[in-house]
Amino acid sequence: MRISRRDFLAGAGSSACLGILPAAATMALADDGFVELTAGPSLQKIYKESGPASSLWTYNGGVPGPEIRVKRGERVKVRLINQLEEPTSIHWHGVRIDNAMDGVSGLTQDAVPPGETFEYDFVAPDAGTYWYHAHNKSWQQVGRGLYGPLIVEEEEPAFGLDQDLTLILDDWRLDREGALDLESFGSLMDWSHAGRLGNWLTVNGASLPRFDLVAGAAHRVRLINASNARVLEQDLSDLGGKLIALDGQPLKEAMDVPSGGFLMGPGQRADLVVVPAEGRELALREISGADPFDVARFVILPEGTVRASHPTLMANVLPEPDLTSARKLVLDMTGGAMGQMAGMTHGGEPLTRERMRETGQLWGLNGVAGMPEVPFFRTSSGETVLLEIVNDTAFPHAMHTHGHHFRIVEQSRAMVEDTGAFRDTILVAAGETVRIAFVADNPGKWLLHCHMLEHAAAGMMTWFEVL
Ligand code: C2O
Ligand code: CU
């Protein structure tokens, strides 16, 4: 599906849908110090004010959910209150977390039934840009709005709060009237191809919001791709500045923002430092489709008292993989439309065409579609794992490791430039082989899956265990 504003703008009056703000999620702090996140149904307009409301599922009544901010080393304490009609759980994407708090329904906890609560309580060991999202039937729960930002600040934040902006981007599929298209959730067409692609892009739940920047001051702009399946391609040239962190982890050295399109797979984050000059408005543009369009604008306020500085981020302390003693493993991705399916199994049985239709399972990791009973590998804590990921399919995938960040060792086609940063999600182009390495140092059961949520639901999911 083509991503475009134009289809929906036709006849809508050119500026009618600029800057609509959705109902903001409210921050709720209980007496016992827990942040309360209430997952429940909520009617929201994501298209335009005169358009229909969409049946979303949100945290605290707004999309995205409230921004949770702590400092490095502090505890995150969240009480999930489930007011949905189905079970749910929350995953803290990118956090090197205590396994019991990882929020994966069916692996690290039971999904929380309707009407019940669950308390998450964990230390956030690394500063950076993270996000939280539902992790039960994510393809639908995240697709309907259950996500929000989790920001872990440095002990001494290098940027004042006014100069620290979070932009969480989401790609929605709206129907002809402009409401979220509910009917097409679970479409096997999406599951077997590129995933659920939308036709409407929001930033912090709004269409084309405006942000204030102060001329001459350094701002941190945190981008998060919360789309189900859309690989965003952002033109950052207007904003300029430097790329300072990816997936929460600081780069060894700040890099100029890429001059071409900057790719962000689902689940990935990128932090920029932007120092705007006085003058015209700036725009963040999405250029993945045939008709590039602005997704956010930045109004430049005259220089105030805030001085420009180019803060550098203090690195987080992550264990460095030791390639000389690494355990080598291969993860072969197959299946999907136009893909190799021969020999694949699901639940221990051959995956016939018929079973594919029945179960919706049609992607495999090492020949197995869906969560295997036994882990892909078990390892003792402290071992370096060198994982070769071979994409033998006709589509790109965004592979995500829970509980661990990895270094990119090699990429045969380099869909994205390796910046040397630790990542938690990597885009692997069709036909590409990448090698990543990490120290498996966090005991527990960890998911390894494609973050195109339909691909994960359709089988591209496995797990490993650290003893
Ligand atoms: Cu953000 Cu299992 O994922
Ligand atoms: Cu995928």
Side-chain angles (χ1 to χ4, degrees):
M1 185 170 297
R2 213 162 62 112
I3 190 170
S4 150
R5 286 173 53 84
R6 244 175 230 174
D7 297 349
F8 282 93
L9 278 172
S14 60
S15 64
C17 59
L18 300 186
I20 300 170
L21 289 171
T26 48
M27 184 51 144
L29 193 62
D31 287 344
D32 59 3
F34 274 79
V35 169
E36 294 191 328
L37 289 182
T38 302
S42 160
L43 285 175
Q44 302 277 337
K45 292 187 178 180
I46 38 182
Y47 172 41
K48 56 178 174 169
E49 233 148 340
S50 59
S54 293
S55 281
L56 303 190
W57 294 342
T58 63
Y59 294 117
N60 297 2
V63 72
E67 178 169 295
I68 297 174
R69 269 189 183 254
V70 294
K71 283 201 177 11
R72 171 162 43 201
E74 281 181 1
R75 303 195 86 84
V76 177
K77 297 170 101 177
V78 171
R79 182 174 301 112
L80 164 64
I81 303 169
N82 185 8
Q83 288 180 359
L84 299 167
E85 277 167 20
E86 61 178 56
T88 191
S89 63
I90 303 179
H91 170 57
W92 312 89
H93 184 123
V95 179
R96 297 188 302 134
I97 201 170
D98 172 6
N99 189 246
M101 297 288 117
D102 200 37
V104 178
S105 292
L107 186 69
T108 65
Q109 70 170 97
D110 291 333
V112 183
E116 296 195 12
T117 65
F118 188 90
E119 284 171 5
Y120 293 96
D121 183 355
F122 56 91
V123 171
D126 302 318
T129 303
Y130 303 93
W131 64 301
Y132 58 90
H133 61 79
H135 214 300
N136 187 40
K137 293 199 196 152
S138 315
W139 52 277
Q140 183 163 34
Q141 295 194 355
V142 178
R144 287 181 76 156
L146 288 169
Y147 65 83
L150 169 62
I151 306 300
V152 184
E153 297 177 338
E154 290 76 26
E155 289 80 353
E156 309 263 332
F159 301 80
L161 262 190
D162 287 353
Q163 272 72 48
D164 188 337
L165 283 65
T166 305
L167 278 67
I168 187 161
L169 289 83
D170 197 4
D171 170 43
W172 305 86
R173 183 183 297 176
L174 306 184
D175 62 21
R176 288 259 135 236
E177 276 68 56
L180 182 65
D181 181 354
L182 298 178
E183 238 124 77
S184 60
F185 273 110
S187 138
L188 271 200
M189 186 67 180
D190 291 341
W191 286 29
S192 60
H193 289 75
R196 181 180 171 91
L197 299 178
N199 47 17
W200 190 252
L201 204 76
T202 59
V203 175
N204 300 347
S207 162
L208 198 56
R210 281 183 161 75
F211 298 89
D212 290 344
L213 303 180
V214 179
H219 298 74
R220 180 172 186 163
V221 178
R222 305 171 186 263
L223 303 173
I224 304 172
N225 184 357
S227 306
N228 272 36
R230 173 76 61 184
V231 178
L232 296 171
E233 187 171 2
Q234 306 269 294
D235 179 354
L236 304 173
S237 56
D238 217 17
L239 285 174
K242 303 258 186 201
L243 192 60
I244 53 167
L246 290 168
D247 292 353
Q249 305 298 343
L251 306 192
K252 284 184 191 140
E253 229 170 288
M255 291 172 39
D256 288 336
V257 298
S259 52
F262 177 70
L263 293 179
M264 275 179 83
Q268 292 187 317
R269 288 90 64 215
D271 291 29
L272 317 173
V273 177
V274 175
V275 186
E278 212 155 332
R280 64 177 180 93
E281 258 182 41
L282 305 178
L284 179 66
R285 285 175 82 66
E286 173 64 25
I287 59 173
S288 62
D291 305 308
F293 57 92
D294 292 355
V295 297
R297 298 228 174 101
F298 300 85
V299 178
I300 314 303
L301 306 176
E303 201 158 332
T305 46
V306 200
R307 294 277 81 207
S309 58
H310 291 263
T312 41
L313 301 178
M314 243 171 60
N316 294 311
V317 186
L318 270 66
E320 197 56 56
D322 173 9
L323 295 183
T324 57
S325 66
R327 168 143 169 225
K328 298 190 177 76
L329 293 157
V330 177
L331 191 68
D332 205 5
M333 309 157 89
T334 54
M338 300 163 287
Q340 174 61 257
M341 308 231 182
M344 280 168 55
T345 62
H346 169 62
E349 284 176 46
L351 188 62
T352 57
R353 293 259 154 205
E354 205 189 2
R355 257 181 90 70
M356 278 181 206
R357 262 194 307 275
E358 271 167 28
T359 59
Q361 298 299 296
L362 24 82
W363 299 92
L365 294 173
N366 290 346
V368 180
M371 274 289 267
E373 295 236 322
V374 292
F376 167 32
F377 62 90
R378 275 202 177 92
T379 178
S380 49
S381 180
E383 192 169 33
T384 292
V385 174
L386 177 59
L387 191 57
E388 180 169 296
I389 304 177
V390 184
N391 183 352
D392 235 334
T393 79
F395 293 86
H397 300 285
M399 294 304 289
H400 171 48
T401 49
H402 279 225
H404 298 78
H405 274 70
F406 50 80
R407 290 251 192 241
I408 300 172
V409 177
E410 217 179 299
Q411 304 177 96
S412 69
R413 291 183 46 197
M415 194 167 172
V416 282
E417 189 184 345
D418 179 15
T419 56
F422 276 105
R423 304 297 308 253
D424 62 41
T425 307
I426 181 171
L427 275 171
V428 188
E432 180 173 22
T433 296
V434 303
R435 294 162 90 210
I436 63 173
F438 62 94
V439 181
D441 64 342
N442 199 347
K445 297 173 176 175
W446 303 103
L447 223 50
L448 168 59
H449 65 93
C450 177
H451 219 285
M452 276 95 174
L453 300 176
E454 289 69 30
H455 292 171
M460 205 167 254
M461 178 162 331
T462 189
W463 60 290
F464 60 96
E465 185 168 17
V466 182
L467 303 169

